[in-house]
Amino acid sequence: MSPQDGFSPGDGAPDSVPPSVRAQLLATEHWSLLASRSTTQGEVLTRISMFLTLTSASLVSLALVGQATRFSDIFLLLAGVVLFTDLMVGLLTQVRVLNVAAEDIMYVLAMNRLRAAYVELDPGIAKFIMASPHDDQSGSVQTYYFLGRRSSWSHVAGSSMVFIHTVNSALIAILAGLLASVLGAGTGMAAAAAAAAGLAFLAGSSIHGYRSYASFWRDYRPVSPTPSDPATPSNAR
């Protein structure tokens, strides 16, 4: 079998390849995906921890400097520079979190596709697999939440993406309030500006994340779609 022929279940691969060899090749790929997924998740969690450590240390330092300088103009300048730096690091972290979320969907779909190959090799194991053997949106939902649960708002709200969006929104709110105070706004106006800027960023980030997720599924064509999924295009079957 030539390298470009490849193997996919049901593609008429030569019978000379024993099922045990095919299963071993599929399992090797499965473990490779698991390791890559674990490494990616560990890396992004480390990035988030570094960002939170930097932000918390910066805020503590600003509190000490503010007491020492009696919150003078020098303190306002220093606070602006420090908070802006924290925000830049936070935005870079947010970009990485978004990229990792897209990569994680890829890993889940790739492993779902391998499960479809396992089931084709041995149909009897299908009833023992809780994660989905289908590499479409319905299959990804079943693998993420098991038993095909669709009410996943709690999982979304508790995700790393929403968490980093919230932290960056708070930083933007603080910066907006600080800028409004420097420009001479009163306490009420500064608080209103801070709230508006923070909420606008949070809403914009959430909309961008949702559109990226929806765009992925519009362009994606599964190899082993869920048979009863009406959203699956007919040309993908």
Side-chain angles (χ1 to χ4, degrees):
M1 182 167 55
S2 62
Q4 57 266 36
D5 289 338
F7 166 71
S8 62
D11 67 353
D15 293 335
S16 58
V17 180
S20 60
V21 174
R22 297 175 178 174
Q24 184 177 4
L25 294 173
L26 293 169
T28 300
E29 175 66 9
H30 202 149
W31 280 108
S32 175
L33 291 170
L34 283 172
S36 299
R37 186 185 185 193
S38 177
T39 300
T40 303
Q41 291 291 337
E43 182 265 339
V44 76
L45 290 177
T46 301
R47 289 276 295 270
I48 293 175
S49 297
M50 293 172 61
F51 165 59
L52 293 178
T53 301
L54 173 65
T55 302
S56 60
S58 299
L59 294 177
V60 171
S61 300
L62 287 177
L64 296 175
V65 172
Q67 292 178 359
T69 61
R70 299 182 182 275
F71 300 97
S72 62
D73 293 340
I74 296 178
F75 166 77
L76 295 178
L77 177 62
L78 178 62
V81 172
V82 170
L83 292 174
F84 181 79
T85 303
D86 289 343
L87 179 60
M88 290 300 99
V89 175
L91 292 176
L92 292 175
T93 304
Q94 179 172 319
V95 169
R96 182 55 182 153
V97 170
L98 182 62
N99 290 340
V100 167
E103 293 173 19
D104 196 64
I105 293 177
M106 182 274 293
Y107 287 128
V108 167
L109 294 178
M111 287 186 280
N112 282 6
R113 189 173 295 182
L114 292 178
R115 291 187 192 95
Y118 296 148
V119 171
E120 179 123 355
L121 287 172
D122 183 5
I125 68 173
K127 63 182 179 180
F128 300 108
I129 298 177
M130 291 189 67
S132 176
H134 303 291
D135 62 335
D136 54 6
Q137 187 172 9
S138 295
S140 71
V141 170
Q142 180 177 339
T143 297
Y144 273 119
Y145 310 118
F146 289 108
L147 304 179
R149 293 195 306 165
R150 299 282 181 171
S151 57
S152 58
W153 284 109
S154 62
H155 293 82
V156 174
S159 66
S160 297
M161 184 182 301
V162 172
F163 175 79
I164 199 69
H165 286 175
T166 304
V167 175
N168 284 336
S169 297
L171 285 175
I172 287 180
I174 295 173
L175 273 172
L178 179 64
L179 179 60
S181 296
V182 171
L183 294 177
T187 302
M189 289 297 296
L199 291 175
F201 179 82
L202 182 60
S205 297
S206 300
I207 292 172
H208 173 69
Y210 175 78
R211 286 180 175 176
S212 298
Y213 179 78
S215 175
F216 171 82
W217 290 115
R218 282 196 303 268
D219 300 333
Y220 176 75
R221 292 296 179 268
V223 172
S224 56
T226 303
S228 59
D229 187 2
T232 302
S234 58
N235 61 352
R237 295 184 180 274

